[in-house]
């Protein structure tokens, strides 16, 4: 009995602690709108940045800051706070905006909705890009407006007004920006929630590349029909609209749009897919290079198979005998006599580049270490490839061989000359008369 009591007390305290730390308000920027017709009778929108508070509570709660606009988000089946649980307020960027149904006159099927509801969106972004959450807030005025409102005739919101709202639909992604390597398997996260059952929901995925928009998947809640692939239809019932990419290729790079619509609301999330393939770095010499004094060697550092294009290759020379000194160690010398090849473009879309120089062996450079350093945005740290140089004098046995070869040539020449003279003398003796 005592153990059960302790467990109940523990659970009570944990629940109380969670409530204490649950976010109750958040400072936001409200992008108010002044929409008007210009002199050419074209619609223009002027955005006005205003300070606002996003406050969670119940109708009638006193505003946390009575000197600014308060958007009071009352309890509903969709809880915005659940999507930012465990995140500190200073790690969030909050934006509030008007939302226009663009003339779609459909009453929201949720509890208490009216034909004259006003709509706002609330976007919460993690400052380090870990997630994006977009919520739709419905505000029902205390009295119906005398005339039908639209985006050209919105009522003004005072600096100290409290706008009571309820969250009706939420979209979330925990992958607003995805960095992928070639042939990797990637899943673009998209989750949604709606405050009522059996919604007439439509889900679509698009890819945007260089101004072109390609539909990848679509689902109609009314008909239950799907087109395309990448999304598991069974997951849509639970709000999971995540999109699974095939093994990544260069052509997959772009911005992916997950859109969810329940009339009169239409929401979308942009997810950028950036491909970064690291270079494979190699040298045309081994880790130890030995040359005779005066000998020459072309040394090549090649970076292959990287994407995107920008890469930096540099060569450095240092003496390892002094590089380990704690004080006064010289900085490695950057070689200036580098030559670069032209960029090579492979069929899969990656690039290759080589940087080379011609090394003339000198006894003064013997023991030096030469290092190729390759930097690319796909690398957390540059790739380094090195070799050590040993320079030796021409060996004595080579000298001896040269001398012996020279002597042999002289002896052969002398032998041939003597043979010629002997032959000439005998010919002369034969012609001499007795």
């Amino acid at each position: 009995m005592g153990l059960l009591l302790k467990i109940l007390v523990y659970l009570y305290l944990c629940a109380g602690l969670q409530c204490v730390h649950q976010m109750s308000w958040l400072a936001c920027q409200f992008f108010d709108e002044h929409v008007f017709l210009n002199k050419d009778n074209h619609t223009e929108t002027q955005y006005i940045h205003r300070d606002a508070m996003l406050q969670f509570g119940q109708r009638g709660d006193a505003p946390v800051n009575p000197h600014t606009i308060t958007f009071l988000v009352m309890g509903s089946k969709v809880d915005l706070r659940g999507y930012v649980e465990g995140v500190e307020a200073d790690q969030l960027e909050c934006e509030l905006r008007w939302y226009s149904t663009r003339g779609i006159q459909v009453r929201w099927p949720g509890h208490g909705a009216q034909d004259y509801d006003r709509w706002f969106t609330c976007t919460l972004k993690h400052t380090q890009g870990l997630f994006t959450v977009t919520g739709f807030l419905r505000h029902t005025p205390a009295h119906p407006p005398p005339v039908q409102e639209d985006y050209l005739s919105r009522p003004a919101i005072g600096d100290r007004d409290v706008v009571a709202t309820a969250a009706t639909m939420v979209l979330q992604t925990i992958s607003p920006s995805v960095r992928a390597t070639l042939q990797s398997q990637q899943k673009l996260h998209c989750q949604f929630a709606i405050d009522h059952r059996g919604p007439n929901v439509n889900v679509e995925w698009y890819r945007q590349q260089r101004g072109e928009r390609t539909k990848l998947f679509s689902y109609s809640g009314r008909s239950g029909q799907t087109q395309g692939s990448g999304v598991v239809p069974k997951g849509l019932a639970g709000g999971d609209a995540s999109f699974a990419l095939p093994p990544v290729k260069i052509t997959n790079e772009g911005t992916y749009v997950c859109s969810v619509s329940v009339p009169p609301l239409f929401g979308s999330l942009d997810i950028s897919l950036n491909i970064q393939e690291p270079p494979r770095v190699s040298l045309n010499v081994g880790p130890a290079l030995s040359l005779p004094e005066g000998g020459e060697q072309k040394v090549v550092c090649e970076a292959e198979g990287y994407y995107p294009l920008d890469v930096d290759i540099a060569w450095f020379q240092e003496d390892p005998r002094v590089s380990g000194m704690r004080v006064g160690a010289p900085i490695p010398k950057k070689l200036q006599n580098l030559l670069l090849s032209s960029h090579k473009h492979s069929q899969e879309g990656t690039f290759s580049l080589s940087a080379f120089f011609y090394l003339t062996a000198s006894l003064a450079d013997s023991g030096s270490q030469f290092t190729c350093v390759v930097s690319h945005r796909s690398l957390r740290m540059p790739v380094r490839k090195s070799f050590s140089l040993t320079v030796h004098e021409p060996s004595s046995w080579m000298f001896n061989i040269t001398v012996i070869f020279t002597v042999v040539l002289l002896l052969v020449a002398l032998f041939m000359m003597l043979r010629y003279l002997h032959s000439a003398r005998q010919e002369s003796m034969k012609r001499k008369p007795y």
Side-chain angles (χ1 to χ4, degrees):
M1 188 69 180
L3 179 60
L4 179 60
L5 181 60
K6 288 182 180 180
I7 294 175
L8 291 174
V9 172
Y10 175 78
L11 292 175
Y12 173 78
L13 290 175
C14 288
L17 186 64
Q18 184 178 5
C19 291
V20 169
H21 287 87
Q22 195 173 28
M23 188 178 297
S24 59
W25 59 270
L26 188 64
C28 298
Q29 278 285 306
F30 174 44
F31 290 79
D32 204 355
E33 297 179 1
H34 173 52
V35 184
F36 60 95
L37 296 176
N38 61 19
K39 61 181 180 180
D40 298 321
N41 206 33
H42 294 156
T43 302
E44 287 191 14
T45 303
Q46 178 184 4
Y47 293 98
I48 306 166
H49 293 209
R50 304 174 67 183
D51 292 332
M53 278 290 193
L54 186 69
Q55 182 175 328
F56 300 93
Q58 300 299 323
R59 188 182 298 273
D61 287 354
V64 173
N65 183 356
H67 303 291
T68 191
I69 305 170
T70 298
F71 285 83
L72 180 63
V73 182
M74 299 178 294
S76 70
K77 293 183 179 180
V78 175
D79 187 3
L80 277 174
R81 290 177 292 183
Y83 295 89
V84 295
E85 188 175 353
V87 181
E88 300 295 332
D90 59 358
Q91 296 177 308
L92 292 173
E93 296 176 356
C94 175
E95 291 183 0
L96 290 158
R97 297 177 182 268
W98 285 96
Y99 177 79
S100 172
T101 61
R102 298 297 179 183
I104 300 177
Q105 301 298 325
V106 177
R107 178 183 293 193
W108 182 254
H111 176 71
Q114 301 294 333
D115 293 331
Y116 49 88
D117 285 338
R118 297 167 187 159
W119 292 94
F120 302 88
T121 60
C122 173
T123 301
L124 305 176
K125 294 182 179 180
H126 194 278
T127 54
Q128 296 180 3
L130 299 184
F131 60 77
T132 299
V133 178
T134 297
F136 289 81
L137 307 179
R138 177 177 58 82
H139 167 68
T140 301
H143 305 285
V147 295
Q148 184 175 337
E149 297 177 351
D150 59 18
Y151 64 97
L152 288 172
S153 60
R154 286 173 177 157
I157 298 178
D159 291 338
R160 298 186 179 186
D161 283 358
V162 176
V163 182
T165 67
T168 59
M169 186 170 78
V170 175
L171 280 71
Q172 180 206 33
T173 180
I174 58 173
S175 58
S177 180
V178 177
R179 191 176 76 176
T181 57
L182 292 177
Q183 297 302 313
S184 63
Q185 299 282 346
Q186 299 294 331
K187 195 169 189 177
L188 309 182
H189 178 262
C190 182
Q191 192 83 21
F192 65 92
I194 303 168
D195 68 350
H196 59 280
R197 291 185 177 182
N200 181 20
V201 60
N202 299 307
V203 177
E204 291 183 330
W205 274 94
Y206 293 90
R207 182 178 64 229
Q208 297 179 167
Q209 290 177 318
R210 304 177 187 88
E212 295 184 0
R213 187 179 177 98
T214 305
K215 182 185 289 189
L216 305 173
F217 174 83
S218 65
Y219 165 78
S220 171
R222 182 177 296 276
S223 66
Q225 298 296 314
T226 63
Q227 291 183 346
S229 60
V231 178
V232 179
K234 291 183 179 179
L236 295 172
D240 185 7
S242 299
F243 185 84
L245 285 166
V248 172
K249 300 178 181 179
I250 297 294
T251 53
N252 295 135
E253 191 172 48
T255 299
Y256 290 75
V257 181
C258 173
S259 67
V260 179
S261 62
V262 179
L265 304 183
F266 175 88
S268 65
L269 294 170
D270 290 353
I271 302 174
S272 62
L273 177 66
N274 301 301
I275 298 175
Q276 295 188 9
E277 184 71 12
R280 302 184 300 274
V281 181
S282 62
L283 305 181
N284 71 326
V285 296
L289 177 63
S290 179
L291 292 174
E293 183 181 15
E296 290 190 352
Q297 173 72 47
K298 180 181 179 180
V299 183
V300 183
C301 179
E302 186 168 19
E304 299 177 277
Y306 59 85
Y307 185 89
L309 180 64
D310 296 333
V311 71
D312 181 72
I313 305 179
W315 274 99
F316 294 89
Q317 178 184 1
E318 63 179 327
D319 188 345
R321 292 168 294 188
V322 298
S323 61
M325 298 172 54
R326 293 186 178 181
V327 181
I331 299 175
K333 181 178 68 174
K334 186 175 183 180
L335 302 186
Q336 302 297 328
N337 58 333
L338 285 187
L339 297 172
L340 295 177
S341 68
S342 58
H343 284 279
K344 298 177 183 177
H345 198 187
S346 70
Q347 291 183 351
E348 66 178 359
T350 60
F351 300 93
S352 298
L353 180 70
S354 60
F356 60 94
F357 67 97
Y358 292 92
L359 174 62
T360 301
S362 168
L363 289 174
D365 293 331
S366 185
S368 294
Q369 180 171 280
F370 293 82
T371 302
C372 174
V373 180
V374 178
S375 302
H376 188 256
R377 69 175 64 180
S378 64
L379 301 170
R380 297 183 63 182
M381 297 290 292
V383 175
R384 306 169 70 90
K385 294 285 185 178
S386 302
F387 73 91
S388 58
L389 174 66
T390 301
V391 181
H392 54 80
E393 296 181 356
S395 60
S396 59
W397 67 269
M398 284 290 295
F399 176 76
N400 293 335
I401 289 177
T402 303
V403 172
I404 293 173
F405 183 70
T406 303
V407 171
V408 170
L409 286 177
L410 290 174
L411 290 174
V412 170
L414 180 61
F415 174 77
M416 296 299 293
M417 184 179 295
L418 289 174
R419 186 175 180 181
Y420 172 77
L421 291 174
H422 178 72
S423 298
R425 183 180 177 183
Q426 286 192 354
E427 287 291 330
S428 174
M429 292 281 296
K430 288 178 180 180
R431 295 175 182 175
K432 187 176 179 182
Y434 293 98

